[in-house]
Each structure stands twice: as structure tokens, then as C-alpha cells.
Amino acid sequence: AGSAMAAVRDVEIDPEGTFKYILVRLQRPGAGEQRDIVRGTRAAEFHNHIFEKVNPEMEKLGYECKCLGGGKIEHNSKDKKIRVFGLSTGYGKADHSVTVEILKKVYTDYEITWSDDKK
């Protein structure tokens, strides 16, 4: 069971630009295991568009998804910087400090910051 959850990538975000993101908690029904993942894309006009894409993918793998909130990510791959900020009107503000810790696992050589700024 652990392998299936391990197969889910911690982070899937666009390589460049500023876009909406959500923090999603995956949980296997009846099991204690859970983990949080970050998903973000410019293709999503609203935060729920991201969730509506992630949720069925994770359900197929046997996970329940819960959106813990959202915000925005500014990804500058040239300067290796990521800034996490803002909030989701629908889901509320994600805990950006948690998001940053997850991003650091993947973007190990990046400077990653967060703030509660709206812009």
C-alpha cells in the first residue's frame, strides 16, 4: 500500500510563471497513512479546477482527497526561486509553510519563500 502512495508525486506545478495552487491531503480510507501534496497550474482559472482534476486521479488509486486550502505560486526557474502567497476564495488559505516544506523536497536547490501577501 505504501508503494502506491509513494508513486504519487509530492509536487506537480508548472515550470514557469505565476499560477494558482492547492494543498491536498491524501488519505487511504480506514488506514492511518496520509500525506500532503501540492498541485498548481496556469491552466486552472479557479482553484477548484485543480481539485477536480486531482480528485478522480487519486480516487482511482484508492485515496480520499481533501483540499486543505490554496494560494498562488510564482515559479522562476531561471533564478531558481519559488514564492508562495495569496489564498483561495473557495478553499481558504493553505498553510504556505507546509507547502514550502513539500516544495523543498523536490526543488532542493531553489530559494523558496512564502508570505500572506495577496500579490
Side-chain angles (χ1 to χ4, degrees), residues 11-76:
V11 177
E12 282 182 22
I13 60 171
D14 286 0
E16 194 64 48
T18 302
F19 44 84
K20 292 182 166 64
Y21 93 89
I22 57 172
L23 186 60
V24 179
R25 173 155 293 163
L26 302 184
Q27 192 147 14
R28 199 177 276 294
E33 64 169 331
Q34 60 175 44
R35 61 183 269 222
D36 299 341
I37 60 170
V38 174
R39 294 291 183 269
T41 175
R42 262 188 296 194
E45 193 185 344
F46 300 105
H47 287 90
N48 62 307
H49 292 169
I50 307 172
F51 189 73
E52 283 160 16
K53 185 177 172 292
V54 174
N55 198 31
E57 288 173 7
M58 296 305 146
E59 281 182 344
K60 275 187 206 134
L61 297 171
Y63 299 113
E64 289 172 351
C65 288
K66 182 178 174 216
C67 184
L68 301 177
K72 284 187 172 171
I73 287 176
E74 184 180 15
H75 189 173
N76 182 335

